[in-house]
PDB file of all heavy atoms in Angstrom:
ATOM      1  N   VAL A   1      24.857  -3.619   7.703  1.00 98.00           N
ATOM      2  CA  VAL A   1      23.702  -3.544   6.818  1.00 98.00           C
ATOM      3  C   VAL A   1      22.582  -2.748   7.504  1.00 98.00           C
ATOM      4  O   VAL A   1      22.219  -3.024   8.650  1.00 98.00           O
ATOM      5  CB  VAL A   1      23.185  -4.946   6.440  1.00 98.00           C
ATOM      6  CG1 VAL A   1      21.860  -4.855   5.682  1.00 98.00           C
ATOM      7  CG2 VAL A   1      24.230  -5.677   5.600  1.00 98.00           C
ATOM      8  N   ILE A   2      22.063  -1.777   6.792  1.00 98.00           N
ATOM      9  CA  ILE A   2      20.880  -1.034   7.226  1.00 98.00           C
ATOM     10  C   ILE A   2      19.700  -1.530   6.404  1.00 98.00           C
ATOM     11  O   ILE A   2      19.789  -1.619   5.169  1.00 98.00           O
ATOM     12  CB  ILE A   2      21.034   0.478   7.005  1.00 98.00           C
ATOM     13  CG1 ILE A   2      22.284   1.017   7.686  1.00 98.00           C
ATOM     14  CG2 ILE A   2      19.794   1.227   7.494  1.00 98.00           C
ATOM     15  CD1 ILE A   2      22.590   2.464   7.333  1.00 98.00           C
ATOM     16  N   THR A   3      18.606  -1.849   7.061  1.00 98.00           N
ATOM     17  CA  THR A   3      17.375  -2.184   6.345  1.00 98.00           C
ATOM     18  C   THR A   3      16.317  -1.149   6.706  1.00 98.00           C
ATOM     19  O   THR A   3      16.166  -0.764   7.866  1.00 98.00           O
ATOM     20  CB  THR A   3      16.877  -3.597   6.705  1.00 98.00           C
ATOM     21  OG1 THR A   3      16.772  -3.734   8.111  1.00 98.00           O
ATOM     22  CG2 THR A   3      17.808  -4.650   6.144  1.00 98.00           C
ATOM     23  N   LEU A   4      15.624  -0.716   5.698  1.00 98.00           N
ATOM     24  CA  LEU A   4      14.576   0.299   5.841  1.00 98.00           C
ATOM     25  C   LEU A   4      13.326  -0.217   5.157  1.00 98.00           C
ATOM     26  O   LEU A   4      13.391  -0.730   4.032  1.00 98.00           O
ATOM     27  CB  LEU A   4      15.042   1.613   5.190  1.00 98.00           C
ATOM     28  CG  LEU A   4      14.033   2.739   5.002  1.00 98.00           C
ATOM     29  CD1 LEU A   4      13.471   3.214   6.333  1.00 98.00           C
ATOM     30  CD2 LEU A   4      14.690   3.913   4.254  1.00 98.00           C
ATOM     31  N   ASP A   5      12.204  -0.116   5.835  1.00 98.00           N
ATOM     32  CA  ASP A   5      10.933  -0.552   5.256  1.00 98.00           C
ATOM     33  C   ASP A   5       9.969   0.627   5.296  1.00 98.00           C
ATOM     34  O   ASP A   5       9.573   1.089   6.366  1.00 98.00           O
ATOM     35  CB  ASP A   5      10.359  -1.736   6.044  1.00 98.00           C
ATOM     36  CG  ASP A   5       9.313  -2.504   5.244  1.00 98.00           C
ATOM     37  OD1 ASP A   5       8.917  -2.018   4.165  1.00 98.00           O
ATOM     38  OD2 ASP A   5       8.884  -3.574   5.695  1.00 98.00           O
ATOM     39  N   LEU A   6       9.634   1.157   4.119  1.00 98.00           N
ATOM     40  CA  LEU A   6       8.730   2.296   4.004  1.00 98.00           C
ATOM     41  C   LEU A   6       7.330   1.824   3.615  1.00 98.00           C
ATOM     42  O   LEU A   6       7.156   0.752   3.038  1.00 98.00           O
ATOM     43  CB  LEU A   6       9.255   3.296   2.962  1.00 98.00           C
ATOM     44  CG  LEU A   6      10.610   3.935   3.275  1.00 98.00           C
ATOM     45  CD1 LEU A   6      11.052   4.829   2.129  1.00 98.00           C
ATOM     46  CD2 LEU A   6      10.556   4.724   4.574  1.00 98.00           C
ATOM     47  N   ASP A   7       6.348   2.635   3.914  1.00 98.00           N
ATOM     48  CA  ASP A   7       4.940   2.305   3.712  1.00 98.00           C
ATOM     49  C   ASP A   7       4.499   2.744   2.315  1.00 98.00           C
ATOM     50  O   ASP A   7       4.163   3.904   2.096  1.00 98.00           O
ATOM     51  CB  ASP A   7       4.107   3.008   4.782  1.00 98.00           C
ATOM     52  CG  ASP A   7       2.653   2.602   4.772  1.00 98.00           C
ATOM     53  OD1 ASP A   7       2.248   1.858   3.858  1.00 98.00           O
ATOM     54  OD2 ASP A   7       1.918   3.040   5.681  1.00 98.00           O
ATOM     55  N   VAL A   8       4.527   1.822   1.361  1.00 98.00           N
ATOM     56  CA  VAL A   8       4.177   2.163  -0.017  1.00 98.00           C
ATOM     57  C   VAL A   8       2.815   1.580  -0.408  1.00 98.00           C
ATOM     58  O   VAL A   8       2.556   1.308  -1.582  1.00 98.00           O
ATOM     59  CB  VAL A   8       5.266   1.709  -1.008  1.00 98.00           C
ATOM     60  CG1 VAL A   8       6.562   2.451  -0.781  1.00 98.00           C
ATOM     61  CG2 VAL A   8       5.497   0.204  -0.926  1.00 98.00           C
ATOM     62  N   ARG A   9       1.924   1.417   0.573  1.00 98.00           N
ATOM     63  CA  ARG A   9       0.563   0.989   0.248  1.00 98.00           C
ATOM     64  C   ARG A   9      -0.081   1.981  -0.716  1.00 98.00           C
ATOM     65  O   ARG A   9       0.210   3.181  -0.694  1.00 98.00           O
ATOM     66  CB  ARG A   9      -0.281   0.899   1.518  1.00 98.00           C
ATOM     67  CG  ARG A   9       0.053  -0.236   2.454  1.00 98.00           C
ATOM     68  CD  ARG A   9      -0.783  -0.135   3.714  1.00 98.00           C
ATOM     69  NE  ARG A   9      -0.429   1.033   4.515  1.00 98.00           N
ATOM     70  CZ  ARG A   9      -1.145   1.459   5.560  1.00 98.00           C
ATOM     71  NH1 ARG A   9      -2.259   0.827   5.904  1.00 98.00           N
ATOM     72  NH2 ARG A   9      -0.740   2.517   6.256  1.00 98.00           N
ATOM     73  N   GLY A  10      -0.982   1.478  -1.561  1.00 98.00           N
ATOM     74  CA  GLY A  10      -1.720   2.361  -2.452  1.00 98.00           C
ATOM     75  C   GLY A  10      -2.580   3.321  -1.645  1.00 98.00           C
ATOM     76  O   GLY A  10      -3.296   2.915  -0.727  1.00 98.00           O
ATOM     77  N   ARG A  11      -2.519   4.593  -1.978  1.00 98.00           N
ATOM     78  CA  ARG A  11      -3.277   5.619  -1.271  1.00 98.00           C
ATOM     79  C   ARG A  11      -4.239   6.301  -2.230  1.00 98.00           C
ATOM     80  O   ARG A  11      -3.862   6.640  -3.365  1.00 98.00           O
ATOM     81  CB  ARG A  11      -2.358   6.684  -0.669  1.00 98.00           C
ATOM     82  CG  ARG A  11      -1.218   6.138   0.129  1.00 98.00           C
ATOM     83  CD  ARG A  11      -0.463   7.205   0.911  1.00 98.00           C
ATOM     84  NE  ARG A  11      -0.032   8.342   0.146  1.00 98.00           N
ATOM     85  CZ  ARG A  11       1.031   8.381  -0.645  1.00 98.00           C
ATOM     86  NH1 ARG A  11       1.772   7.289  -0.811  1.00 98.00           N
ATOM     87  NH2 ARG A  11       1.367   9.478  -1.285  1.00 98.00           N
ATOM     88  N   VAL A  12      -5.453   6.523  -1.784  1.00 98.00           N
ATOM     89  CA  VAL A  12      -6.429   7.266  -2.573  1.00 98.00           C
ATOM     90  C   VAL A  12      -6.403   8.722  -2.121  1.00 98.00           C
ATOM     91  O   VAL A  12      -6.522   9.015  -0.927  1.00 98.00           O
ATOM     92  CB  VAL A  12      -7.844   6.685  -2.411  1.00 98.00           C
ATOM     93  CG1 VAL A  12      -8.854   7.535  -3.172  1.00 98.00           C
ATOM     94  CG2 VAL A  12      -7.882   5.250  -2.916  1.00 98.00           C
ATOM     95  N   VAL A  13      -6.221   9.612  -3.068  1.00 98.00           N
ATOM     96  CA  VAL A  13      -6.220  11.052  -2.812  1.00 98.00           C
ATOM     97  C   VAL A  13      -7.475  11.629  -3.451  1.00 98.00           C
ATOM     98  O   VAL A  13      -7.758  11.350  -4.623  1.00 98.00           O
ATOM     99  CB  VAL A  13      -4.962  11.719  -3.406  1.00 98.00           C
ATOM    100  CG1 VAL A  13      -4.952  13.212  -3.111  1.00 98.00           C
ATOM    101  CG2 VAL A  13      -3.701  11.045  -2.881  1.00 98.00           C
ATOM    102  N   LYS A  14      -8.241  12.423  -2.694  1.00 97.00           N
ATOM    103  CA  LYS A  14      -9.503  12.943  -3.206  1.00 97.00           C
ATOM    104  C   LYS A  14      -9.493  14.459  -3.251  1.00 97.00           C
ATOM    105  O   LYS A  14      -8.888  15.120  -2.413  1.00 97.00           O
ATOM    106  CB  LYS A  14     -10.662  12.457  -2.344  1.00 97.00           C
ATOM    107  CG  LYS A  14     -10.868  10.944  -2.381  1.00 97.00           C
ATOM    108  CD  LYS A  14     -12.172  10.539  -1.720  1.00 97.00           C
ATOM    109  CE  LYS A  14     -12.401   9.042  -1.859  1.00 97.00           C
ATOM    110  NZ  LYS A  14     -13.740   8.629  -1.376  1.00 97.00           N
ATOM    111  N   GLN A  15     -10.182  14.981  -4.255  1.00 96.00           N
ATOM    112  CA  GLN A  15     -10.307  16.432  -4.385  1.00 96.00           C
ATOM    113  C   GLN A  15     -11.490  16.773  -5.276  1.00 96.00           C
ATOM    114  O   GLN A  15     -11.544  16.349  -6.429  1.00 96.00           O
ATOM    115  CB  GLN A  15      -9.023  17.042  -4.971  1.00 96.00           C
ATOM    116  CG  GLN A  15      -9.092  18.550  -5.144  1.00 96.00           C
ATOM    117  CD  GLN A  15      -7.752  19.156  -5.513  1.00 96.00           C
ATOM    118  OE1 GLN A  15      -6.735  18.861  -4.886  1.00 96.00           O
ATOM    119  NE2 GLN A  15      -7.738  20.001  -6.528  1.00 96.00           N
ATOM    120  N   ASP A  16     -12.455  17.510  -4.715  1.00 95.00           N
ATOM    121  CA  ASP A  16     -13.558  18.093  -5.485  1.00 95.00           C
ATOM    122  C   ASP A  16     -14.281  17.086  -6.374  1.00 95.00           C
ATOM    123  O   ASP A  16     -14.546  17.362  -7.550  1.00 95.00           O
ATOM    124  CB  ASP A  16     -13.047  19.252  -6.344  1.00 95.00           C
ATOM    125  CG  ASP A  16     -12.493  20.386  -5.506  1.00 95.00           C
ATOM    126  OD1 ASP A  16     -12.922  20.533  -4.352  1.00 95.00           O
ATOM    127  OD2 ASP A  16     -11.611  21.112  -6.006  1.00 95.00           O
ATOM    128  N   GLY A  17     -14.597  15.902  -5.832  1.00 96.00           N
ATOM    129  CA  GLY A  17     -15.338  14.919  -6.611  1.00 96.00           C
ATOM    130  C   GLY A  17     -14.486  14.074  -7.527  1.00 96.00           C
ATOM    131  O   GLY A  17     -15.009  13.340  -8.373  1.00 96.00           O
ATOM    132  N   TYR A  18     -13.187  14.165  -7.377  1.00 97.00           N
ATOM    133  CA  TYR A  18     -12.255  13.350  -8.162  1.00 97.00           C
ATOM    134  C   TYR A  18     -11.401  12.537  -7.202  1.00 97.00           C
ATOM    135  O   TYR A  18     -11.228  12.901  -6.029  1.00 97.00           O
ATOM    136  CB  TYR A  18     -11.348  14.219  -9.032  1.00 97.00           C
ATOM    137  CG  TYR A  18     -12.059  14.968 -10.128  1.00 97.00           C
ATOM    138  CD1 TYR A  18     -12.660  16.204  -9.881  1.00 97.00           C
ATOM    139  CD2 TYR A  18     -12.135  14.437 -11.412  1.00 97.00           C
ATOM    140  CE1 TYR A  18     -13.314  16.894 -10.894  1.00 97.00           C
ATOM    141  CE2 TYR A  18     -12.784  15.121 -12.431  1.00 97.00           C
ATOM    142  CZ  TYR A  18     -13.368  16.340 -12.156  1.00 97.00           C
ATOM    143  OH  TYR A  18     -14.016  17.020 -13.156  1.00 97.00           O
ATOM    144  N   ALA A  19     -10.823  11.462  -7.695  1.00 98.00           N
ATOM    145  CA  ALA A  19      -9.933  10.627  -6.894  1.00 98.00           C
ATOM    146  C   ALA A  19      -8.742  10.197  -7.740  1.00 98.00           C
ATOM    147  O   ALA A  19      -8.863  10.001  -8.958  1.00 98.00           O
ATOM    148  CB  ALA A  19     -10.668   9.401  -6.356  1.00 98.00           C
ATOM    149  N   ALA A  20      -7.598  10.073  -7.098  1.00 98.00           N
ATOM    150  CA  ALA A  20      -6.386   9.597  -7.758  1.00 98.00           C
ATOM    151  C   ALA A  20      -5.708   8.593  -6.837  1.00 98.00           C
ATOM    152  O   ALA A  20      -6.005   8.520  -5.638  1.00 98.00           O
ATOM    153  CB  ALA A  20      -5.447  10.750  -8.074  1.00 98.00           C
ATOM    154  N   VAL A  21      -4.805   7.805  -7.400  1.00 98.00           N
ATOM    155  CA  VAL A  21      -4.117   6.751  -6.645  1.00 98.00           C
ATOM    156  C   VAL A  21      -2.616   7.016  -6.681  1.00 98.00           C
ATOM    157  O   VAL A  21      -2.053   7.328  -7.733  1.00 98.00           O
ATOM    158  CB  VAL A  21      -4.422   5.358  -7.226  1.00 98.00           C
ATOM    159  CG1 VAL A  21      -3.688   4.276  -6.427  1.00 98.00           C
ATOM    160  CG2 VAL A  21      -5.925   5.091  -7.235  1.00 98.00           C
ATOM    161  N   MET A  22      -1.980   6.880  -5.510  1.00 98.00           N
ATOM    162  CA  MET A  22      -0.528   6.980  -5.417  1.00 98.00           C
ATOM    163  C   MET A  22       0.017   5.717  -4.768  1.00 98.00           C
ATOM    164  O   MET A  22      -0.644   5.110  -3.916  1.00 98.00           O
ATOM    165  CB  MET A  22      -0.107   8.196  -4.595  1.00 98.00           C
ATOM    166  CG  MET A  22      -0.487   9.527  -5.199  1.00 98.00           C
ATOM    167  SD  MET A  22       0.316  10.935  -4.360  1.00 98.00           S
ATOM    168  CE  MET A  22       2.013  10.758  -4.949  1.00 98.00           C
ATOM    169  N   LYS A  23       1.217   5.346  -5.173  1.00 98.00           N
ATOM    170  CA  LYS A  23       1.955   4.258  -4.521  1.00 98.00           C
ATOM    171  C   LYS A  23       3.303   4.825  -4.119  1.00 98.00           C
ATOM    172  O   LYS A  23       4.156   5.093  -4.975  1.00 98.00           O
ATOM    173  CB  LYS A  23       2.126   3.055  -5.436  1.00 98.00           C
ATOM    174  CG  LYS A  23       2.824   1.886  -4.725  1.00 98.00           C
ATOM    175  CD  LYS A  23       2.764   0.636  -5.546  1.00 98.00           C
ATOM    176  CE  LYS A  23       3.513  -0.512  -4.869  1.00 98.00           C
ATOM    177  NZ  LYS A  23       2.956  -0.863  -3.557  1.00 98.00           N
ATOM    178  N   GLY A  24       3.486   5.021  -2.816  1.00 98.00           N
ATOM    179  CA  GLY A  24       4.684   5.712  -2.380  1.00 98.00           C
ATOM    180  C   GLY A  24       4.704   7.103  -2.986  1.00 98.00           C
ATOM    181  O   GLY A  24       3.715   7.836  -2.936  1.00 98.00           O
ATOM    182  N   PRO A  25       5.822   7.495  -3.609  1.00 98.00           N
ATOM    183  CA  PRO A  25       5.900   8.826  -4.220  1.00 98.00           C
ATOM    184  C   PRO A  25       5.311   8.882  -5.631  1.00 98.00           C
ATOM    185  O   PRO A  25       5.282   9.953  -6.241  1.00 98.00           O
ATOM    186  CB  PRO A  25       7.409   9.075  -4.280  1.00 98.00           C
ATOM    187  CG  PRO A  25       7.976   7.704  -4.501  1.00 98.00           C
ATOM    188  CD  PRO A  25       7.099   6.759  -3.699  1.00 98.00           C
ATOM    189  N   VAL A  26       4.864   7.741  -6.150  1.00 98.00           N
ATOM    190  CA  VAL A  26       4.498   7.645  -7.564  1.00 98.00           C
ATOM    191  C   VAL A  26       2.995   7.791  -7.755  1.00 98.00           C
ATOM    192  O   VAL A  26       2.198   7.100  -7.116  1.00 98.00           O
ATOM    193  CB  VAL A  26       4.982   6.308  -8.160  1.00 98.00           C
ATOM    194  CG1 VAL A  26       4.483   6.126  -9.587  1.00 98.00           C
ATOM    195  CG2 VAL A  26       6.507   6.236  -8.124  1.00 98.00           C
TER     196      VAL A  26
END
């Protein structure tokens, strides 16, 4: 068994006075 734990914390991405949220690749 292989177990993998990736970092899917919510991330805030900012650009030119705007912000967006990503969770992992989504």
Side-chain angles (χ1 to χ4, degrees):
V1 172
I2 305 172
T3 53
L4 170 61
D5 199 351
L6 298 176
D7 187 354
V8 295
R9 289 176 293 170
R11 310 190 308 281
V12 176
V13 181
K14 295 190 176 187
Q15 179 171 312
D16 297 334
Y18 294 85
V21 180
M22 296 191 73
K23 183 170 177 61
V26 174

